[in-house]
């Protein structure tokens, strides 16, 4: 048998417990792979069904849907079940974010002369990186909601808006069942959860 370093071992020299562990892992890996493939096929089928239903529904009103983007919630007639399709975009920022940071720093310097340094700390927090070196996009984008009528600030917010790059999208489908108290409980199809 081949070990993790690629070395060959005669089967007779391998302990029975190591052989049994290997067999257990291989058997369950086959089952897990088959389950993963089955879930992927199921998800693809459900997504296609939802898309076809949305197109059929829009067709009834003569509306042309513009692609597969968009979240949708579908309920059973009695409201007992619901399916949610959601599309999440993963975004990042290009080099224009650095320009926005310089402009924001200029604003902070002007606004905070003689005042408490906490203002700078709050805004700088939006540009902090996580352990993987990524900026929290929600915090940075949240700065755009602050309505400050300052030309430099407005240019910084424009730079942030223009620096946004959608790098990928991921589609999710979730299933829920209504409980006796009226709340919905998600049907767990995530094996890691």
């Amino acid at each position: 048998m081949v070990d993790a370093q690629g070395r060959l071992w005669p089967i007779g020299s391998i302990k029975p417990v190591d052989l049994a562990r290997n067999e257990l892992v291989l058997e369950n890996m086959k089952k897990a792979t088959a389950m993963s493939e089955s879930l992927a096929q199921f998800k693809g089928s459900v997504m296609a069904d939802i898309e076809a239903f949305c197109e059929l529904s829009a067709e009834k009103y003569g509306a042309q849907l513009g692609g597969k983007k968009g979240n949708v919630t579908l309920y059973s007639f009695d409201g007992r079940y619901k399916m949610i399709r959601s599309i999440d975009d993963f975004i990042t920022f290009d080099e224009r974010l650095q320009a926005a940071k310089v402009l924001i720093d200029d604003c902070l310097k002007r606004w905070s002369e003689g005042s408490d340094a906490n203002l700078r700390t709050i805004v700088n927090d939006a540009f902090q990186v996580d352990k993987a070196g990524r900026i929290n996009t929600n915090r940075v984008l949240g700065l755009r909601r602050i309505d400050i009528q300052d030309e430099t600030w407005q240019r910084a917010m424009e730079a942030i808006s223009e620096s946004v790059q959608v790098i990928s999208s991921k589609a999710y489908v979730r299933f829920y069942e209504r409980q006796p108290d009226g709340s919905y409980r998600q049907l767990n199809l995530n094996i890691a959860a």
Side-chain angles (χ1 to χ4, degrees):
M1 288 180 70
V2 178
D3 71 6
Q5 281 90 37
R7 299 174 297 200
L8 289 173
W9 289 79
I11 290 180
S13 68
I14 300 172
K15 295 178 183 173
V17 69
D18 293 329
L19 291 171
R21 181 185 316 106
N22 183 65
E23 189 63 29
L24 174 71
V25 170
L26 294 179
E27 282 178 22
N28 285 289
M29 193 62 199
K30 283 181 191 174
K31 293 176 189 173
T33 301
M35 183 64 69
S36 176
E37 290 169 0
S38 178
L39 283 172
Q41 289 173 354
F42 172 70
K43 179 183 176 185
S45 172
V46 169
M47 290 298 207
D49 288 348
I50 291 171
E51 187 61 29
F53 179 78
C54 288
E55 287 174 6
L56 179 71
S57 184
E59 196 175 279
K60 181 181 186 298
Y61 300 100
Q64 183 70 28
L65 297 180
K68 297 182 190 230
K69 285 276 188 179
N71 301 335
V72 65
T73 301
L74 304 172
Y75 291 90
S76 62
F77 187 73
D78 63 1
R80 182 175 176 195
Y81 302 109
K82 71 177 176 178
M83 292 191 313
I84 298 176
R85 177 191 69 188
S86 59
I87 312 291
D88 292 341
D89 287 335
F90 295 97
I91 64 172
T92 188
F93 301 100
D94 65 20
E95 74 287 346
R96 291 173 280 194
L97 185 65
Q98 298 307 315
K101 178 73 166 101
V102 168
L103 294 169
I104 290 170
D105 285 344
D106 179 55
C107 289
L108 291 175
K109 196 180 308 175
R110 284 187 292 113
W111 299 340
S112 65
E113 283 181 27
S115 67
D116 194 324
N118 290 335
L119 175 64
R120 180 182 302 275
T121 303
I122 290 168
V123 175
N124 282 340
D125 182 58
F127 289 90
Q128 294 298 316
V129 296
D130 63 14
K131 292 177 184 174
R134 293 183 301 253
I135 288 179
N136 183 315
T137 56
N138 290 331
R139 283 191 285 189
V140 172
L141 294 175
L143 293 174
R144 299 182 310 170
R145 289 191 294 270
I146 302 171
D147 186 23
I148 297 176
Q149 298 305 313
D150 178 286
E151 181 194 344
T152 305
W153 179 265
Q154 294 295 321
R155 285 193 340 250
M157 296 306 102
E158 183 180 351
I160 288 174
S161 295
E162 292 177 0
S163 73
V164 172
Q165 303 288 315
V166 177
I167 55 174
S168 66
S169 294
K170 184 161 180 131
Y172 298 92
V173 64
R174 294 177 183 93
F175 297 85
Y176 297 84
E177 181 176 12
R178 191 171 59 206
Q179 301 302 294
D181 68 359
S183 66
Y184 282 92
R185 181 180 55 87
Q186 185 173 352
L187 179 64
N188 184 6
L189 295 176
N190 180 353
I191 196 166

